[in-house]
Short mmCIF file of all heavy atoms in Angstrom, two decimals:
data_model
loop_
_atom_site.label_atom_id
_atom_site.label_comp_id
_atom_site.label_asym_id
_atom_site.label_seq_id
_atom_site.Cartn_x
_atom_site.Cartn_y
_atom_site.Cartn_z
N ILE A 120 8.85 -11.38 -8.94
CA ILE A 120 7.39 -11.43 -9.06
C ILE A 120 6.96 -12.89 -9.13
O ILE A 120 7.35 -13.62 -10.04
CB ILE A 120 6.90 -10.66 -10.32
CG1 ILE A 120 7.27 -9.19 -10.22
CG2 ILE A 120 5.40 -10.84 -10.51
CD1 ILE A 120 6.96 -8.38 -11.46
N ASP A 121 6.13 -13.29 -8.15
CA ASP A 121 5.71 -14.69 -8.10
C ASP A 121 4.27 -14.90 -8.57
O ASP A 121 3.79 -16.03 -8.57
CB ASP A 121 5.92 -15.27 -6.71
CG ASP A 121 5.15 -14.53 -5.64
OD1 ASP A 121 4.44 -13.56 -5.96
OD2 ASP A 121 5.26 -14.92 -4.46
N ASP A 122 3.62 -13.86 -9.00
CA ASP A 122 2.26 -13.95 -9.53
C ASP A 122 2.34 -14.08 -11.05
O ASP A 122 2.97 -13.26 -11.71
CB ASP A 122 1.47 -12.69 -9.13
CG ASP A 122 0.08 -12.67 -9.70
OD1 ASP A 122 -0.83 -13.21 -9.05
OD2 ASP A 122 -0.09 -12.11 -10.81
N GLU A 123 1.70 -15.10 -11.61
CA GLU A 123 1.82 -15.39 -13.05
C GLU A 123 1.31 -14.22 -13.91
O GLU A 123 1.97 -13.81 -14.87
CB GLU A 123 1.05 -16.67 -13.40
CG GLU A 123 1.20 -17.09 -14.84
CD GLU A 123 0.46 -18.38 -15.16
OE1 GLU A 123 0.06 -19.11 -14.23
OE2 GLU A 123 0.27 -18.64 -16.36
N TYR A 124 0.12 -13.70 -13.58
CA TYR A 124 -0.41 -12.60 -14.38
C TYR A 124 0.48 -11.36 -14.27
O TYR A 124 0.80 -10.71 -15.27
CB TYR A 124 -1.85 -12.25 -13.97
CG TYR A 124 -2.35 -11.03 -14.70
CD1 TYR A 124 -2.73 -11.13 -16.05
CD2 TYR A 124 -2.39 -9.78 -14.10
CE1 TYR A 124 -3.16 -10.00 -16.75
CE2 TYR A 124 -2.81 -8.66 -14.79
CZ TYR A 124 -3.20 -8.77 -16.11
OH TYR A 124 -3.61 -7.66 -16.82
N ALA A 125 0.90 -11.04 -13.05
CA ALA A 125 1.75 -9.85 -12.85
C ALA A 125 3.08 -10.01 -13.58
O ALA A 125 3.60 -9.04 -14.15
CB ALA A 125 1.96 -9.60 -11.37
N ALA A 126 3.64 -11.20 -13.57
CA ALA A 126 4.90 -11.43 -14.28
C ALA A 126 4.72 -11.18 -15.78
O ALA A 126 5.56 -10.54 -16.43
CB ALA A 126 5.41 -12.83 -14.02
N LYS A 127 3.61 -11.65 -16.33
CA LYS A 127 3.32 -11.43 -17.75
C LYS A 127 3.10 -9.94 -18.02
O LYS A 127 3.61 -9.38 -19.00
CB LYS A 127 2.08 -12.24 -18.15
CG LYS A 127 1.72 -12.10 -19.60
CD LYS A 127 0.50 -12.93 -19.94
CE LYS A 127 0.07 -12.67 -21.37
NZ LYS A 127 -1.16 -13.36 -21.72
N TYR A 128 2.36 -9.29 -17.15
CA TYR A 128 2.06 -7.86 -17.28
C TYR A 128 3.35 -7.04 -17.28
O TYR A 128 3.58 -6.22 -18.15
CB TYR A 128 1.14 -7.44 -16.13
CG TYR A 128 0.74 -5.98 -16.13
CD1 TYR A 128 -0.43 -5.59 -16.77
CD2 TYR A 128 1.50 -5.01 -15.49
CE1 TYR A 128 -0.83 -4.25 -16.75
CE2 TYR A 128 1.11 -3.68 -15.48
CZ TYR A 128 -0.06 -3.31 -16.11
OH TYR A 128 -0.44 -1.99 -16.11
N TYR A 129 4.21 -7.29 -16.29
CA TYR A 129 5.44 -6.50 -16.17
C TYR A 129 6.50 -6.90 -17.21
O TYR A 129 7.35 -6.09 -17.55
CB TYR A 129 5.98 -6.54 -14.74
CG TYR A 129 5.26 -5.54 -13.88
CD1 TYR A 129 4.26 -5.95 -13.02
CD2 TYR A 129 5.54 -4.18 -13.98
CE1 TYR A 129 3.56 -5.01 -12.25
CE2 TYR A 129 4.85 -3.25 -13.22
CZ TYR A 129 3.86 -3.67 -12.36
OH TYR A 129 3.18 -2.75 -11.61
N THR A 130 6.43 -8.11 -17.72
CA THR A 130 7.30 -8.47 -18.84
C THR A 130 6.92 -7.64 -20.06
O THR A 130 7.79 -7.16 -20.80
CB THR A 130 7.21 -9.98 -19.15
OG1 THR A 130 7.68 -10.70 -18.01
CG2 THR A 130 8.04 -10.35 -20.37
N HIS A 131 5.63 -7.43 -20.24
CA HIS A 131 5.15 -6.58 -21.34
C HIS A 131 5.62 -5.13 -21.13
O HIS A 131 6.06 -4.48 -22.08
CB HIS A 131 3.62 -6.66 -21.42
CG HIS A 131 3.04 -5.94 -22.59
ND1 HIS A 131 2.90 -6.52 -23.83
CD2 HIS A 131 2.58 -4.68 -22.72
CE1 HIS A 131 2.37 -5.64 -24.66
NE2 HIS A 131 2.17 -4.51 -24.00
N VAL A 132 5.56 -4.65 -19.91
CA VAL A 132 6.03 -3.29 -19.60
C VAL A 132 7.53 -3.19 -19.90
O VAL A 132 7.99 -2.23 -20.51
CB VAL A 132 5.72 -2.91 -18.13
CG1 VAL A 132 6.32 -1.55 -17.79
CG2 VAL A 132 4.22 -2.90 -17.88
N ARG A 133 8.28 -4.21 -19.48
CA ARG A 133 9.72 -4.22 -19.76
C ARG A 133 9.98 -4.21 -21.27
O ARG A 133 10.84 -3.47 -21.76
CB ARG A 133 10.38 -5.46 -19.16
CG ARG A 133 11.89 -5.46 -19.32
CD ARG A 133 12.59 -6.66 -19.89
NE ARG A 133 11.85 -7.58 -20.67
CZ ARG A 133 11.89 -8.89 -20.49
NH1 ARG A 133 12.61 -9.42 -19.52
NH2 ARG A 133 11.20 -9.69 -21.28
N ASP A 134 9.21 -4.99 -22.01
CA ASP A 134 9.39 -5.04 -23.46
C ASP A 134 9.10 -3.69 -24.10
O ASP A 134 9.76 -3.30 -25.07
CB ASP A 134 8.51 -6.13 -24.07
CG ASP A 134 8.95 -7.54 -23.66
OD1 ASP A 134 10.07 -7.69 -23.11
OD2 ASP A 134 8.16 -8.48 -23.89
N MET A 135 8.12 -2.95 -23.55
CA MET A 135 7.87 -1.59 -24.05
C MET A 135 9.07 -0.70 -23.79
O MET A 135 9.47 0.09 -24.66
CB MET A 135 6.63 -0.97 -23.37
CG MET A 135 5.33 -1.48 -23.86
SD MET A 135 3.89 -0.53 -23.29
CE MET A 135 4.19 -0.26 -21.57
N ALA A 136 9.66 -0.80 -22.61
CA ALA A 136 10.82 0.01 -22.27
C ALA A 136 12.00 -0.32 -23.18
O ALA A 136 12.68 0.58 -23.68
CB ALA A 136 11.22 -0.20 -20.80
N VAL A 137 12.22 -1.59 -23.42
CA VAL A 137 13.33 -2.01 -24.27
C VAL A 137 13.12 -1.51 -25.70
O VAL A 137 14.04 -0.99 -26.33
CB VAL A 137 13.50 -3.55 -24.23
CG1 VAL A 137 14.44 -4.04 -25.31
CG2 VAL A 137 13.98 -3.98 -22.85
N LEU A 138 11.90 -1.64 -26.21
CA LEU A 138 11.62 -1.19 -27.57
C LEU A 138 11.76 0.33 -27.67
O LEU A 138 12.33 0.85 -28.64
CB LEU A 138 10.24 -1.64 -28.03
CG LEU A 138 9.86 -1.28 -29.46
CD1 LEU A 138 10.91 -1.76 -30.47
CD2 LEU A 138 8.48 -1.85 -29.80
N ALA A 139 11.28 1.06 -26.68
CA ALA A 139 11.44 2.52 -26.68
C ALA A 139 12.92 2.90 -26.65
O ALA A 139 13.35 3.83 -27.36
CB ALA A 139 10.71 3.14 -25.49
N ALA A 140 13.73 2.17 -25.88
CA ALA A 140 15.18 2.42 -25.85
C ALA A 140 15.82 2.11 -27.19
O ALA A 140 16.70 2.84 -27.65
CB ALA A 140 15.83 1.60 -24.74
N GLU A 141 15.38 1.04 -27.85
CA GLU A 141 15.89 0.72 -29.19
C GLU A 141 15.53 1.82 -30.18
O GLU A 141 16.36 2.19 -31.02
CB GLU A 141 15.31 -0.61 -29.68
CG GLU A 141 15.86 -1.82 -28.99
CD GLU A 141 15.17 -3.11 -29.44
OE1 GLU A 141 14.40 -3.09 -30.43
OE2 GLU A 141 15.40 -4.14 -28.79
N ILE A 142 14.32 2.32 -30.08
CA ILE A 142 13.89 3.42 -30.97
C ILE A 142 14.78 4.63 -30.75
O ILE A 142 15.25 5.25 -31.70
CB ILE A 142 12.40 3.75 -30.74
CG1 ILE A 142 11.54 2.63 -31.32
CG2 ILE A 142 12.04 5.11 -31.33
CD1 ILE A 142 10.08 2.69 -30.92
N GLU A 143 15.03 4.95 -29.50
CA GLU A 143 15.90 6.10 -29.19
C GLU A 143 17.31 5.89 -29.72
O GLU A 143 17.93 6.80 -30.25
CB GLU A 143 15.92 6.38 -27.70
CG GLU A 143 14.69 7.08 -27.21
CD GLU A 143 14.46 8.40 -27.92
OE1 GLU A 143 15.37 9.25 -27.93
OE2 GLU A 143 13.38 8.58 -28.47
N ALA A 144 17.82 4.68 -29.58
CA ALA A 144 19.18 4.39 -30.05
C ALA A 144 19.27 4.49 -31.56
O ALA A 144 20.28 4.96 -32.10
CB ALA A 144 19.62 3.01 -29.58
N SER A 145 18.22 4.08 -32.25
CA SER A 145 18.26 4.12 -33.72
C SER A 145 17.82 5.46 -34.28
O SER A 145 18.06 5.75 -35.45
CB SER A 145 17.42 2.99 -34.30
OG SER A 145 16.07 3.15 -33.98
N ARG A 146 17.19 6.29 -33.45
CA ARG A 146 16.68 7.58 -33.93
C ARG A 146 17.80 8.46 -34.49
O ARG A 146 17.62 9.14 -35.50
CB ARG A 146 15.94 8.28 -32.80
CG ARG A 146 15.33 9.60 -33.22
CD ARG A 146 14.38 10.12 -32.18
NE ARG A 146 13.04 9.72 -32.59
CZ ARG A 146 12.14 9.15 -31.81
NH1 ARG A 146 12.41 8.91 -30.56
NH2 ARG A 146 10.96 8.83 -32.27
#
């Protein structure tokens, strides 16, 4: 991703996925 806003947006989406996976692992 070479667009600055899109990179920030999708980094946030990735962080949601990672946190949801952490929640599942610790559940």
Side-chain angles (χ1 to χ4, degrees):
I120 297 174
D121 59 1
D122 177 88
E123 184 179 344
Y124 175 75
K127 181 179 174 185
Y128 180 92
Y129 278 101
T130 297
H131 186 87
V132 175
R133 185 230 21 228
D134 293 348
M135 284 191 315
V137 168
L138 183 53
E141 287 175 11
I142 288 168
E143 283 302 306
S145 64
R146 183 168 263 132

